[in-house]
Amino acid sequence: MTFLIAVAMLGLIIFVHELGHFLTAKFFKMPVSEFSIGMGPQVFSLDTKETTYSFRAIPIGGYVNIEGMEVGSQVENGFNSKPAYQRFIVLFAGVFMNFLTAFLIIFSIAQMSGRMEYEEKAIIGALVKGGANEQVLKVDDKILELDGKKITLWTDIPEVTKEAIDKKEISVVIERDGKEQKLVLKLTKDEENNRVVLGISPKSKKTNLSFTESLVFAKNSFISILKDTVGGLFTIFSGKADLKEISGPVGILKVVGEVSKFGWTSIASLAVILSINIGVLNLLPIPALDGGRIIFVLLELFRIKVNKKWEENLHKFGMVVLLFFIVMISVNDVWKLFN
């Protein structure tokens, strides 16, 4: 089931990306010989007078084959025969569709789920099922002290547990039904994030959002995720990121499996993050990617001539390097799964 969810999610993200290229190419009357979802051997195809629509065996990737991108191509209305601004729009359309999809998903989540507002006071709203303290604490317990330190706000709790990372138990003073009680809680180690947790969460309430409020929420969330994505890429290219933190298609399967336990909202949120990530990655000024091709189109717009044969060879080299990194990251993902 996890595999199917991951394939469907990646398939949707790739589909909307390629759809952007396809629709704009058709709009500018560029000939499109094939619109493919997936890579590898062809499984199913539908041939029309102008375009072949196909599904291929490997459910990762996809492409739109716009004719006239090769040097010296004589195809009528081919890509390279069109004005630079039209080529820019076609190249950017894929990224735009990824960003638009992410925005619409966030907006839809906001409309259907509203906004969760969390209580600032240290009052327990829920306990992790099967957690170490499920039988000790109760919903609506108010935490007054933790490890001898006074607790006023919920945000005080992680500050205390951060200092107790080497402990297995911690003392707590709670208020329950108007009476104070002293208890001892067990600490659970969260290895992945190198912290200890109590297995509790704050009280919260759902607030419905209007159409306008949902638009504002979607805009702010989109910008926040976009900034985080760009910041993460700077960290990677600066050499500060650990290889363990970088994942590819195989690693996504694991993440989808973990996220799917928390319902459709979490899956949709992951789709938002992936869609924005793929959009940003495609904008990188790397040969073979949309961003790399856009750089050369922008040079044309500023009347800076570039040798087309040299440009084509650079894109071919970029594709080889890109495939190498995809294989390297995938091997790293498999290694992490087995370790």
Side-chain angles (χ1 to χ4, degrees):
M1 187 64 182
T2 296
F3 177 76
L4 292 176
I5 294 173
V7 168
M9 185 185 298
L10 288 172
L12 173 65
I13 293 169
I14 293 162
F15 172 75
V16 297
H17 181 94
E18 299 302 335
L19 185 64
H21 294 315
F22 174 77
L23 292 176
T24 48
K26 286 287 189 180
F27 179 80
F28 292 121
K29 302 191 185 317
M30 298 179 188
V32 179
S33 59
E34 185 178 0
F35 180 15
S36 173
I37 299 299
M39 307 292 280
Q42 196 175 79
V43 176
F44 169 80
S45 67
L46 174 65
D47 294 318
T48 66
K49 186 178 179 181
E50 296 179 341
T51 307
T52 297
Y53 301 90
S54 61
F55 288 93
R56 294 183 176 269
I58 304 172
I60 296 173
Y63 60 87
V64 173
N65 191 7
I66 303 171
E67 295 189 29
M69 298 186 80
E70 304 81 8
V71 174
S73 173
Q74 300 298 315
V75 177
E76 186 181 357
N77 288 323
F79 182 83
N80 283 332
S81 69
K82 294 292 184 176
Y85 82 90
Q86 292 185 9
R87 282 178 279 147
F88 173 84
I89 292 172
V90 171
L91 290 170
F92 184 73
V95 173
F96 173 78
M97 287 293 282
N98 280 138
F99 288 168
L100 178 62
T101 300
F103 181 87
L104 291 176
I105 293 174
I106 299 171
F107 174 79
S108 299
I109 292 172
Q111 279 282 280
M112 290 186 278
S113 301
R115 179 175 58 220
M116 296 303 294
E117 294 182 347
Y118 292 94
E119 174 68 59
E120 290 186 357
K121 295 178 182 177
I123 300 174
I124 297 174
L127 295 155
V128 173
K129 290 185 178 180
N133 299 307
E134 186 183 17
Q135 304 302 320
V136 182
L137 297 170
K138 292 183 178 180
V139 171
D140 290 330
D141 282 350
K142 184 177 182 181
I143 298 176
L144 304 176
E145 287 184 18
L146 193 61
D147 202 23
K149 298 177 178 66
K150 188 176 180 181
I151 301 296
T152 305
L153 302 173
W154 186 271
T155 50
D156 296 333
I157 297 173
E159 293 298 320
V160 176
T161 56
K162 189 189 298 181
E163 297 174 4
I165 192 165
D166 296 321
K167 295 182 180 180
K168 293 184 177 179
E169 294 183 337
I170 194 169
S171 62
V172 64
V173 177
I174 64 165
E175 182 183 307
R176 181 183 296 169
D177 300 326
K179 298 179 181 178
E180 291 187 11
Q181 293 187 35
K182 292 183 179 180
L183 303 169
V184 175
L185 303 178
K186 292 182 179 179
L187 293 168
T188 303
K189 189 71 181 287
D190 178 2
E191 298 286 354
E192 189 173 342
N193 297 301
N194 191 32
R195 62 176 184 170
V196 288
V197 295
L198 297 171
I200 59 176
S201 57
K203 295 198 75 170
S204 62
K205 64 177 181 178
K206 175 186 169 184
T207 303
N208 291 326
L209 299 178
S210 66
F211 183 87
T212 303
E213 287 173 329
S214 295
L215 283 175
V216 173
F217 176 82
K219 181 204 73 173
N220 293 338
S221 298
F222 176 86
I223 292 172
S224 176
I225 298 169
L226 183 62
K227 285 181 178 178
D228 288 343
T229 302
V230 173
L233 286 174
F234 273 113
T235 302
I236 292 171
F237 288 114
S238 65
K240 296 178 182 178
D242 192 323
L243 187 62
K244 294 178 181 178
E245 300 172 10
I246 303 172
S247 290
V250 178
I252 289 171
L253 285 174
K254 182 184 177 184
V255 176
V256 170
E258 294 172 353
V259 167
S260 60
K261 298 174 186 176
F262 301 97
W264 73 269
T265 304
S266 297
I267 295 172
S269 298
L270 178 60
V272 168
I273 294 170
L274 290 176
S275 192
I276 292 175
N277 270 263
I278 288 174
V280 171
L281 283 170
N282 268 282
L283 272 183
L284 291 176
I286 297 173
L289 292 179
D290 293 336
R293 293 184 180 277
I294 285 172
I295 290 293
F296 288 100
V297 173
L298 289 175
L299 289 174
E300 268 192 64
L301 282 171
F302 288 103
R303 301 188 184 282
I304 300 173
K305 290 186 177 181
V306 178
N307 185 289
K308 288 294 181 181
K309 189 64 180 177
W310 181 82
E311 179 189 340
E312 185 177 314
N313 289 333
L314 192 61
H315 288 312
K316 287 178 180 177
F317 174 75
M319 181 59 73
V320 172
V321 173
L322 200 60
L323 289 173
F324 170 77
F325 277 110
I326 290 172
V327 170
M328 188 179 74
I329 292 170
S330 296
V331 169
N332 181 56
D333 283 342
V334 173
W335 176 259
K336 286 190 290 184
L337 284 175
F338 285 99
N339 287 274

